[in-house]
Amino acid sequence: MPEPAMAGAATAAPSPALLTVIAVATGALVANLYYAQPLVATIAPEIGIRPDLAGSIVSVAQIGYGLGLLLLVSLADLVENKMLVLLLLAMTTAGVVGLTLSTSFATFAVAAFVVGLCATSAQVLIPYVARLVADEQRGRIVGNIMAGVLTGIMLARPVSLFVAASFGWRAVFWGSAGLMLGSGVLLARMMPRYRPAPGMHYGQILASMVGLMRDVPAVRWRSAYQALLFAAFNMLWTAAPMMLTDRFGMSNYGIGLFALAGAGGALAAPLAGRLADRGHSVALTAGAMLTLALAFFLTPWVVATAVLALLVVLTIGIDAAVQTNHVVSQRLIFAAPANVRGRVNALYMTIVFAGGAAGSMLGTLTYHMGTWTQTALVAGALGAVALVFFGIEQWLGRKQPPPRKANPA
């Protein structure tokens, strides 16, 4: 059977099976950044890291992811997308195997960096899907794919805790390697080729991103908002396992169940996409920021009174808020011309994951400096700052002329 192809633009709507495979693959790829997050206290002693710096285990992969977003995802506007995705998947698999074999921080850090760098193939797949669908369906389809991504992020923590409790933390990464191989086989069979229109070389692609940051205001604002919210999100999931152990006496299994309950926030992504398609982006954005800030500010009281059920509800609210803002943001930035979507996504996600990497470190540092209260107050303040910035953007939008169109080069 001849391999399907697209010459620069979609020729047919994607099948539900292809969309499902892409949603699972993107979720599995991004999950690699989070398997270690609730296990930092277990992994750190084995590879020689001090407890107060254990958050660096997660930050190394996220720094690699940020660089990959800038340097590799932009290649989606230059080279054939299927080949790029499969090559990065193969390198991700090799990096995950390296994690399982690591016995020192140096080897673990190198492998984690490779995993983060190459797991950015997930962010090649998302604008790839956006090219396949009509504009009026983009929010819904991107929301469905993001539900897969965010489910992967949320399930990564409980799965890693359950597997590590029974088989050790290295088994988590062996399982991930198998999942990477399976995803690669399915994508190789089902994914149509997409070859961007010729005309630019890699240096021009990178240089053009400065102009895109200038010419596409949605990228500037939306990346700032999501970076702040994603930093708070990572503060939560870096510090929460330590808080649940110290305050509630939970084992890895208990923390895993808590994280599994928190994964319910992923259900917000498809709904957010549908509401954004109907013109509710402003209300969704403000509501997400307000929900995150208030939920964090309430958690110190909930932790002090040990009301675990309410803590779960607040955690779901925080996760749903981050996911809602992300889906709305990606829908808005993908309104850019099709031939620059890889680059605008690269810019957006690079800034977002820089915020995430900072949040992982802040989660560890604030918890060791002042326990959960300090972590929650700082994270809530990040949501409040995002809300202030959003208000400024809305005010400026009423005062300024329409933005310049992005250069389609």
Side-chain angles (χ1 to χ4, degrees), residues 5 9 50 102 106 112 115 181 286 291 303 311:
R50 289 178 7 219
S102 296
V115 168
L181 286 173
T291 296
V303 170
L311 183 61

Side-chain angles (χ1 to χ4, degrees), residues 278-305:
R278 296 173 186 170
H280 301 297
S281 296
V282 171
L284 288 167
T285 300
M289 295 170 177
L290 186 61
T291 296
L292 180 138
L294 291 177
F296 267 115
F297 290 145
L298 285 172
T299 57
W301 173 77
V302 174
V303 170
T305 54

Side-chain angles (χ1 to χ4, degrees), residues 86-171:
L86 295 179
L87 176 61
L88 292 176
L89 253 172
M91 295 176 66
T92 303
T93 305
V96 172
V97 171
L99 291 175
T100 68
L101 302 176
S102 296
T103 56
S104 69
F105 178 62
T107 56
F108 190 95
V110 170
F113 183 81
V114 170
V115 168
L117 187 75
C118 299
T120 50
S121 53
Q123 298 301 328
V124 176
L125 285 166
I126 294 172
Y128 168 88
V129 169
R131 293 183 179 104
L132 299 178
V133 299
D135 290 351
E136 61 271 16
Q137 297 179 316
R138 186 174 299 129
R140 178 174 62 85
I141 298 299
V142 170
N144 289 341
I145 299 298
M146 284 309 304
V149 173
L150 298 166
T151 299
I153 292 173
M154 296 307 302
L155 290 181
R157 299 176 181 88
V159 166
S160 67
L161 286 163
F162 294 147
V163 173
S166 298
F167 306 105
W169 65 266
R170 296 179 194 275

Side-chain angles (χ1 to χ4, degrees), residues 89-328:
L89 253 172
M91 295 176 66
T92 303
T93 305
V96 172
V97 171
L99 291 175
T100 68
L101 302 176
S102 296
T103 56
S104 69
F105 178 62
T107 56
F108 190 95
V110 170
F113 183 81
V114 170
V115 168
L117 187 75
C118 299
T120 50
S121 53
Q123 298 301 328
V124 176
L125 285 166
I126 294 172
Y128 168 88
V129 169
R131 293 183 179 104
L132 299 178
V133 299
D135 290 351
E136 61 271 16
Q137 297 179 316
R138 186 174 299 129
R140 178 174 62 85
I141 298 299
V142 170
N144 289 341
I145 299 298
M146 284 309 304
V149 173
L150 298 166
T151 299
I153 292 173
M154 296 307 302
L155 290 181
R157 299 176 181 88
V159 166
S160 67
L161 286 163
F162 294 147
V163 173
S166 298
F167 306 105
W169 65 266
R170 296 179 194 275
V172 175
F173 297 107
W174 281 122
S176 175
L179 192 54
M180 293 298 95
L181 286 173
S183 297
V185 169
L186 290 173
L187 288 172
R189 290 177 61 88
M190 300 176 65
M191 187 177 172
R193 291 186 177 276
Y194 173 81
R195 191 177 303 280
M200 299 183 73
H201 58 69
Y202 185 55
Q204 290 173 317
I205 287 283
L206 292 180
S208 70
M209 294 170 76
V210 177
L212 288 171
M213 181 65 83
R214 178 196 64 220
D215 296 339
V216 186
V219 176
R220 297 196 301 270
W221 288 106
R222 288 284 156 180
S223 58
Y225 304 152
Q226 191 63 17
L228 289 166
L229 268 59
F230 197 52
F233 176 89
N234 276 318
M235 290 182 70
L236 167 68
W237 288 109
T238 301
M242 294 181 283
M243 176 268 290
L244 291 169
T245 299
D246 295 343
R247 185 69 183 86
F248 294 90
M250 285 190 180
S251 65
N252 277 353
Y253 282 112
I255 297 170
L257 289 172
F258 179 89
L260 188 61
L267 297 174
L271 177 60
R274 286 169 171 78
L275 291 174
D277 282 341
R278 296 173 186 170
H280 301 297
S281 296
V282 171
L284 288 167
T285 300
M289 295 170 177
L290 186 61
T291 296
L292 180 138
L294 291 177
F296 267 115
F297 290 145
L298 285 172
T299 57
W301 173 77
V302 174
V303 170
T305 54
V307 185
L308 186 59
L310 185 53
L311 183 61
V312 170
V313 171
L314 293 175
T315 300
I316 292 172
I318 290 167
D319 292 344
V322 176
Q323 294 163 15
T324 294
N325 190 70
H326 186 48
V327 170
V328 172

